[in-house]
Amino acid sequence: MSLDSSGTVGDAGEFAVVDAVTSRFVQGDHVSVGPGDDAAVVAVQGGVVIASLDLLIQNRHFRLDWSSADDIGHKAAAENLSDINAMGGRPTALLVGLGAPAELSTAWALQFADGLAAEASAVGASVIGGDLTQADLVTIAVTALGICEHGIVRRSGAQPGDIVALAGRQGWAAAGFAVLARGFRSPRAVVDAHRQPHPPYGAGPQAAQLGATAMIDVSDGLLQDLGHIATASSVAIDVRSDTLEVAEPLRAVGAALGVEPLSFVLTGGDDYCLAATFPAGTSLPDDWREIGTVAEAGEPGSVTVDGAVPEQTAGHQHFR
Amino acid sequence: MSLDSSGTVGDAGEFAVVDAVTSRFVQGDHVSVGPGDDAAVVAVQGGVVIASLDLLIQNRHFRLDWSSADDIGHKAAAENLSDINAMGGRPTALLVGLGAPAELSTAWALQFADGLAAEASAVGASVIGGDLTQADLVTIAVTALGICEHGIVRRSGAQPGDIVALAGRQGWAAAGFAVLARGFRSPRAVVDAHRQPHPPYGAGPQAAQLGATAMIDVSDGLLQDLGHIATASSVAIDVRSDTLEVAEPLRAVGAALGVEPLSFVLTGGDDYCLAATFPAGTSLPDDWREIGTVAEAGEPGSVTVDGAVPEQTAGHQHFR
């Protein structure tokens, strides 16, 4: 591209940056109109489209000194692709809005675009369009679109007696956040997990195929997000703490910071693992591990750990 | 709702505001999963979905002292619904992200939601989901989804000899902006046009049915947006100035401010009218008026007015 990647977005101007960015977005065969028109057009199956939108703002959702542009691109994409995964769908496309300070380097914008496109293409999705505008802080809006191959799994279908299961790792990003917030950069494994989540793509459609009754992606904290299933389904959920994996890097961070490492698993967000409920007796594949049950009795909407109300349940909530 | 509408978004907290806002969004029959899950699910037709995303930021795209929350909701929706219109599609759904300062009143958030929902429902679209997060400035991301009933019209199909036509009013919002920027609040007709555009919904699918070869919505300026068609189609476009309607309120503003009123029509944005090209001889219905031709010769990508390069062509470009 003719764009000067040593310059700023403000120097290059909207159209030059848009051209340079969109030229990096490879379009899949399912895209009939990609970036550059008033809107994009993408194929869907089964007569429905699954759609989700998230807004991410500098210093609230990410920090430019903690994460590279590539990391932020990966994470912005992953967070939204995960929402499609959590419905049991397969993501096919992303739309991306970028609000950029004029002094942002074009190199940052291009690396952000590359991160976004790489995360999308790893699941077969294309970045089909978006918007670029000026903003005081880096502001990112992402819409993910997806198709439904095995039925939609909502939050509201959990039944008493169901088993509760988890796919993907949980607590890693929170441990990474904890060390970054204290000015450290290691253990690298958890810092990397904060910078780039690895949602268990594919486990969502798999759960749909297995007959999952409810599902959610854990973005704000395991107990809080299980609470969303419990509330939407009017059931009580009990988690067995001995089933939760507290990996070695989480124990190392807990020991170094004087924090109970299980708390990362119970209340940490940003890993985008999946929590789902399945009918009792469902034979779970290796990607899913049982972590609790939907109680036969109990306060609807409640989540307990080993039968007791946990001391700390709250995950992330904005304005709090 | 139990939400205290005399309080602030920060006092109420994310979940209470989301509940109150989403309860106001009536879901059409085509929506199988609306707000409140990880993603929404909406019906589409013909195996494709049309999708567009825009990002709007306080003090750049709107001002809280110039426009009400209801106005801003209408405009944020209209701008995106217009993108679907400009592809020849029919909008079916909006997703909305709102970044809100903690001190924003809940009344503002609810009125914004009402404006958004009213604009959407006027075209049969539902607000199916979104995101709420904290931000220093009011930040709005909207994704519009639509279906294609009469074929997609891109920017790139204009042919030499085609006629160029316009649907909807053009220049009004720019005249409104000009008076607001000088501290005035009248003529009311143009100020209102700035606050709430009235895109010619339906004219897009109509153009598709009539065999339009290229189409765009005029968001940044007529000459600039016709330039996008000229560039994408590798043709030269000539506009005949005597065909352009310069309505009385625009002439009044021009006289009051010492501005040539035709300049509002040629370079003003934000009315979201449609510009399209049609094969020569197409019989245009009343909604469309001929304003020029695709030249048989001429510099590809160029737009002239009455055969001459206009003095002022530039419309809006971010970072400029």
Side-chain angles (χ1 to χ4, degrees):
Chain A
M1 293 306 302
S2 59
L3 191 73
D4 175 10
S5 65
S6 67
T8 68
V9 169
D11 291 339
E14 177 184 358
F15 297 147
V17 175
V18 167
D19 283 350
V21 164
T22 55
S23 72
R24 301 164 98 92
F25 294 150
V26 177
Q27 301 301 314
D29 291 340
H30 57 295
V31 181
S32 46
V33 179
D37 218 301
D38 292 282
V41 182
V42 61
V44 294
Q45 290 169 23
V48 297
V49 65
I50 311 173
S52 169
L53 181 150
D54 279 312
L55 196 54
L56 296 91
I57 296 176
Q58 182 183 344
N59 299 338
R60 297 187 190 275
H61 298 88
F62 56 86
R63 284 176 49 161
L64 301 186
D65 55 339
W66 284 7
S67 300
S68 70
D70 181 66
D71 289 334
I72 294 167
H74 272 278
K75 190 168 186 169
E79 176 176 338
N80 281 271
L81 296 168
S82 175
D83 283 326
I84 306 301
N85 200 28
M87 300 300 286
R90 189 162 66 75
T92 54
L94 296 180
L95 295 150
V96 183
L98 176 64
E103 64 274 17
L104 191 75
S105 74
T106 53
W108 196 98
L110 296 176
Q111 286 158 20
F112 167 74
D114 286 344
L116 200 73
E119 188 75 20
S121 74
V123 296
S126 302
V127 184
I128 59 172
D131 192 18
L132 174 66
T133 189
Q134 196 167 350
D136 292 339
L137 295 171
V138 176
T139 303
I140 302 165
V142 181
T143 283
L145 303 177
I147 58 172
C148 168
E149 291 170 327
H150 307 291
I152 293 292
V153 185
R154 303 188 57 170
R155 296 178 178 179
S156 52
Q159 297 292 328
D162 281 357
I163 57 182
V164 179
L166 205 65
R169 62 188 192 184
Q170 167 58 14
W172 289 58
F177 180 86
V179 301
L180 284 163
R182 286 165 177 79
F184 301 112
R185 292 286 183 275
S186 66
R188 187 60 187 261
V190 296
V191 170
D192 285 349
H194 168 78
R195 289 175 172 152
Q196 289 192 24
H198 291 284
Y201 296 124
Q206 185 184 41
Q209 209 167 6
L210 288 166
T213 52
M215 185 154 56
I216 194 168
D217 69 329
V218 180
S219 52
D220 294 331
L222 178 59
L223 297 182
Q224 180 166 307
D225 287 321
L226 284 176
H228 290 313
I229 287 183
T231 300
S233 302
S234 291
V235 296
I237 286 176
D238 186 56
V239 174
R240 286 218 333 270
S241 63
D242 63 355
T243 65
L244 295 172
E245 188 184 12
V246 184
E248 197 286 322
L250 277 63
R251 282 184 264 120
V253 173
L257 304 182
V259 174
E260 165 55 59
L262 184 65
S263 72
F264 296 133
V265 180
L266 292 174
T267 64
D270 277 3
D271 283 307
Y272 305 103
C273 72
L274 292 180
T277 55
F278 296 89
T282 302
S283 174
L284 295 177
D286 287 347
D287 292 343
W288 289 90
R289 53 188 186 285
E290 194 173 331
I291 62 161
T293 52
V294 180
E296 295 286 353
E299 173 77 14
S302 69
V303 179
T304 51
V305 178
D306 303 328
V309 176
E311 283 177 34
Q312 189 195 6
T313 60
H316 187 68
Q317 181 175 179
H318 290 287
F319 306 106
R320 283 295 152 87
Chain B
M1 294 306 302
S2 60
L3 191 75
D4 174 11
S5 66
S6 66
T8 68
V9 170
D11 292 339
E14 177 184 359
F15 296 148
V17 175
V18 167
D19 283 350
V21 164
T22 55
S23 72
R24 301 164 98 91
F25 294 149
V26 177
Q27 301 301 312
D29 291 340
H30 57 295
V31 181
S32 45
V33 180
D37 219 303
D38 291 283
V41 183
V42 61
V44 295
Q45 289 169 25
V48 297
V49 65
I50 311 173
S52 167
L53 181 150
D54 277 313
L55 194 54
L56 296 91
I57 296 176
Q58 182 184 345
N59 300 338
R60 296 187 191 276
H61 298 89
F62 56 87
R63 283 177 51 161
L64 301 186
D65 55 339
W66 284 7
S67 299
S68 70
D70 180 66
D71 288 335
I72 294 167
H74 272 279
K75 190 167 186 169
E79 175 176 340
N80 281 269
L81 296 167
S82 173
D83 283 326
I84 306 300
N85 201 27
M87 300 300 287
R90 189 162 65 76
T92 54
L94 295 180
L95 295 150
V96 183
L98 176 65
E103 64 275 16
L104 191 75
S105 73
T106 53
W108 196 98
L110 296 177
Q111 286 158 19
F112 166 74
D114 285 345
L116 199 73
E119 188 76 19
S121 73
V123 295
S126 303
V127 185
I128 58 171
D131 190 19
L132 175 67
T133 190
Q134 197 168 348
D136 293 338
L137 295 171
V138 177
T139 304
I140 301 165
V142 181
T143 282
L145 303 179
I147 58 173
C148 167
E149 292 169 326
H150 307 291
I152 293 292
V153 185
R154 303 189 57 170
R155 298 179 177 178
S156 52
Q159 297 291 328
D162 281 356
I163 57 182
V164 179
L166 205 64
R169 62 190 192 182
Q170 166 59 13
W172 290 58
F177 179 87
V179 301
L180 284 163
R182 284 163 177 83
F184 301 112
R185 293 286 184 275
S186 67
R188 187 60 187 262
V190 296
V191 170
D192 285 349
H194 169 79
R195 289 175 172 153
Q196 290 192 24
H198 291 284
Y201 296 125
Q206 185 184 41
Q209 210 168 5
L210 287 165
T213 51
M215 185 154 55
I216 193 167
D217 68 331
V218 180
S219 53
D220 294 331
L222 179 59
L223 297 181
Q224 181 166 307
D225 287 321
L226 284 176
H228 291 312
I229 287 183
T231 301
S233 303
S234 292
V235 296
I237 286 176
D238 186 55
V239 173
R240 284 217 334 268
S241 62
D242 63 357
T243 64
L244 296 172
E245 188 185 11
V246 184
E248 197 286 322
L250 276 63
R251 281 183 267 122
V253 173
L257 303 182
V259 174
E260 165 54 58
L262 184 65
S263 72
F264 297 132
V265 181
L266 291 174
T267 64
D270 278 2
D271 284 307
Y272 305 103
C273 72
L274 293 180
T277 55
F278 297 89
T282 302
S283 174
L284 294 178
D286 287 347
D287 293 342
W288 288 90
R289 53 189 186 284
E290 192 172 334
I291 63 162
T293 51
V294 180
E296 297 284 355
E299 175 75 15
S302 70
V303 179
T304 50
V305 178
D306 303 328
V309 175
E311 281 178 33
Q312 189 194 5
T313 59
H316 188 69
Q317 182 176 178
H318 291 287
F319 307 105
R320 282 294 153 88

